[in-house]
């Protein structure tokens, strides 16, 4: 600010505020306001149907940790479903796009076209993807079992003791396999593009130097590509975990939370509690607890990536 | 390293995996229901029919897909316009004007990018209810319009524009509004187009929010309506796939024409990490 003293006055003092005002009005009403209101709600018995919303302090939070409360089972079942989905899908969504990005980073005709092809499913909405996969995964008439049958793999599966037709939606572990596979299909293009941007920032001289030193393809990957992508990898892992924690539409549309309650994710539980049972204080507490969990996971990741780096520099 | 033939074969297989389901959706929508549910499945329809679409696209039907389509189009367009206005004005102030609290304000706006979206759902529902906006298009258009990403993205772009453009306009006697609308915006078309496409796509595809804030069948957006359709015609797959395809066509067309911007925008959003 001090440096502006010598500059000529370019605008009236209120001009910047006039430019900021429309954004700030909406930002305060629908971003900052709700964040604070949510905290306030989580400290009250905020039943939408009641006239009074008595202050209950941390009771809504305590109930989530009290195994005798009504919400305990439901909430942690949801957290478990979200955790299972995250643990199962993140490795695929980190590794497969990395492989694809390395493939697409090679120079060949039509490279841009293939970038677009792999990204295309990402522009579809979850409602469309959910309906499409529900149809394709139908055990009797779905194309997935149809193709397995067509190539004769069903006999192999049967001899391995697999139920036929495969109940993709109505039995575990098939339901999780289906949800993870469709999510990978749907969102993989996003991470691929981010890796590609990262790969293009690695100087070609590093690869040339590695080749001169006689490094194999794998050694180049380990000692040039991976270190060069460290920041990008951290970003990809973080946003993929965040996106997995938001899992909602796939489970609602394809498995409807089933079989049993196994795919009823934290977000389905939270929105059911808040917008179907109208216990909004309890739902707000759930959302903050889940957000805190995610914050902790992110911090651990940043620390872990830092730790891993040190020995490499010393060696 | 892969051999040349293997490389192309691999890419071809991947292409089938990624485009195949979308084509399957369309092929099913032009089959008859008996053919769509036949075992073993046929690939190309024996006698293609647009019967599934005819029912869906009637405005007076009990499942007014055309009405949902228009609702989605209206909401996504208004939302996109609002995002562009709010984000560009704010980004202009943050990038090119000097005022007290500018740094703090920018940090606060960007830090909200790190708060997961579900935190806002429950309280925003309450605010929308208080405003009397439940079951109206405003519930879809306004709440997400203060895009922190949009402000961040445009601010970076505006900051990189050369100061000489501004100087010349100032000497010609232009005020800040004129500099903004006649110099900065016209020189930022790629960034504005990217943000426009991304915000349109996000609003068009949103699923969680519309299924809770909309109730009347005639006011639903396509994603929310598709859920009803699934319940109503659980086994009429051509009808369900036709509905899904109608919801996909605009975004697929938009993507085909703007994929350079979309992919660019996504890769830039990654560079902030």
């Amino acid at each position: 600010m001090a440096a502006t003293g010598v500059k000529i006055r370019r605008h009236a003092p209120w001009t910047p505020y006039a430019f900021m005002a429309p954004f700030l009005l909406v930002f305060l009403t629908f971003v900052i306001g709700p964040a604070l209101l949510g905290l306030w709600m989580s400290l009250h018995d905020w039943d939408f149907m009641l006239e009074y919303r008595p202050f209950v302090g941390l009771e809504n939070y305590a109930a989530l940790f009290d195994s005798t409360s009504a919400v305990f089972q439901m909430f942690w079942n949801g957290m478990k479903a979200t955790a299972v989905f995250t643990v199962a899908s993140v490795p695929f969504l980190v590794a497969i796009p990395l492989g694809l990005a390395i493939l697409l980073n090679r120079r060949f005709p039509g490279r841009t076209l293939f970038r677009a092809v792999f990204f295309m499913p990402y522009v579809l909405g979850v409602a469309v993807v959910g309906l499409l996969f529900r149809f394709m995964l139908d055990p009797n008439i779905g194309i997935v079992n149809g193709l397995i049958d067509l190539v004769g793999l069903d006999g192999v599966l049967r001899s391995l003791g697999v139920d036929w037709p495969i109940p993709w939606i109505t039995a575990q572990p098939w339901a999780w396999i289906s949800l993870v596979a469709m999510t990978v299909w749907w969102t993989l293009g996003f991470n691929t593009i981010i890796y590609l941007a990262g790969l293009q920032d690695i100087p070609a001289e590093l690869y040339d130097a590695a080749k001169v030193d006689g490094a194999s393809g794998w050694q180049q990957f380990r000692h040039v590509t991976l270190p060069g992508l460290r920041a990008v990898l951290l970003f990809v892992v973080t946003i993929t975990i965040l996106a997995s924690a938001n899992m909602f539409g796939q489970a609602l549309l394809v498995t409807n939370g089933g079989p049993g309650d196994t795919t009823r994710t934290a977000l389905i539980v939270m929105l059911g509690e808040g917008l179907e049972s109208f216990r909004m204080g309890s739902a707000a507490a759930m959302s903050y607890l889940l957000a805190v969990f995610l914050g902790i996971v992110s911090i651990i990741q940043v620390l872990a990536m830092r730790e891993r780096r040190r020995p490499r520099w010393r060696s | 390293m892969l051999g040349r033939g293997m490389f192309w074969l691999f890419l071809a297989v991947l292409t089938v995996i990624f485009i195949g389901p979308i084509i399957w959706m369309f092929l099913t929508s032009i089959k008859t229901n008996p053919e769509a549910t036949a075992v073993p499945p046929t690939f190309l329809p024996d006698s293609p029919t647009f019967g599934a679409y005819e029912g869906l696209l009637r405005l007076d039907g009990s499942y007014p897909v055309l009405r949902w389509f228009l609702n989605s189009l209206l909401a996504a367009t208004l939302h996109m316009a609002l995002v562009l206005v709010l984000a560009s004005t704010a980004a202009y102030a943050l990038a090119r004007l000097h005022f007290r609290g500018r740094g703090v304000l920018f940090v606060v706006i960007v830090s909200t990018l790190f708060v997961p979206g579900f935190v806002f759902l429950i309280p925003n529902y309450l605010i929308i209810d208080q405003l009397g906006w439940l079951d109206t298009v405003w519930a879809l258009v306004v709440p997400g319009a203060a895009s922190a990403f949009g402000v961040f993205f445009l601010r970076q772009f505006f900051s990189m524009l050369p100061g000489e453009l501004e100087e010349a306009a100032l000497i010609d006697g232009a005020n800040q509004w004129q500099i903004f609308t006649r110099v900065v915006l016209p020189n930022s078309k790629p960034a504005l187009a990217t943000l426009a496409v991304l915000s349109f796509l996000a609003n068009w595809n949103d699923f969680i929010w519309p299924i809770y804030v909309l109730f009347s069948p005639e006011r639903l957006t396509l994603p929310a309506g598709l859920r009803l359709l699934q319940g109503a015609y659980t086994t009429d797959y051509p009808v369900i796939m036709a509905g899904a395809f109608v919801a996909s066509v605009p975004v697929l067309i938009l993507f085909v024409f703007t994929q350079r911007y979309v992919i660019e925008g996504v890769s830039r959003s990654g560079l902030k990490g």
Side-chain angles (χ1 to χ4, degrees), chain A residues 179-217:
Chain A
L179 291 173
V180 168
M182 68 175 271
T183 306
V184 170
W185 177 83
W186 178 35
T187 61
L188 144 166
F190 187 89
N191 288 354
T192 306
I193 296 303
I194 290 175
Y195 280 129
L196 265 173
L199 285 174
Q200 273 147 24
D201 287 344
I202 300 176
E205 297 88 65
L206 288 180
Y207 288 101
D208 295 338
K211 276 179 212 154
V212 170
D213 290 347
S216 66

Side-chain angles (χ1 to χ4, degrees), chain A residues 224-246:
Chain A
V224 180
T225 311
L226 272 188
L229 282 182
R230 211 187 52 241
V232 177
L233 260 169
L234 179 63
F235 177 75
V236 166
V237 174
T238 309
I239 55 160
T240 309
I241 291 179
L242 267 174
S244 306
N246 272 295

Side-chain angles (χ1 to χ4, degrees), chain A residues 10 16 19 23 30-31 34 48 109 114 123 125 128 131 134-135 138 141 185 188 235 246 248 267 276 287, chain B residues 8 15 17-18 28 37 39 89 99-100 118 120 123-125 129 151 167 176 205 208 212 230 237 248 255 270:
Chain A
R10 288 146 185 267
F19 272 97
F23 176 83
F30 296 106
V31 180
F48 201 60
F114 286 106
V123 305
V128 167
L131 293 189
R134 202 191 161 100
F135 171 56
D138 186 288
I141 57 153
W185 177 83
L188 144 166
F235 177 75
N246 272 295
F248 173 83
L267 221 54
E276 280 157 33
S287 73
Chain B
W8 285 105
T15 303
I17 291 175
F18 280 88
T28 305
T37 55
V39 180
T89 48
F99 59 99
R100 272 176 69 95
F118 55 73
F120 305 104
N124 256 332
Y125 180 91
D129 181 38
V151 170
E167 306 286 342
Q176 290 297 331
N205 284 331
I208 296 190
Y212 287 108
Q230 186 188 21
Y237 288 105
S248 314
F255 176 67

Side-chain angles (χ1 to χ4, degrees), chain A residues 150-178:
Chain A
L150 200 71
V151 297
L153 257 176
D154 57 317
V156 179
L157 289 170
R158 257 182 233 155
S159 67
L160 289 170
V162 176
D163 287 341
W164 185 263
I166 295 176
W168 291 108
I169 288 162
T170 49
Q172 292 292 16
W174 303 112
W176 276 131
I177 293 172
S178 302

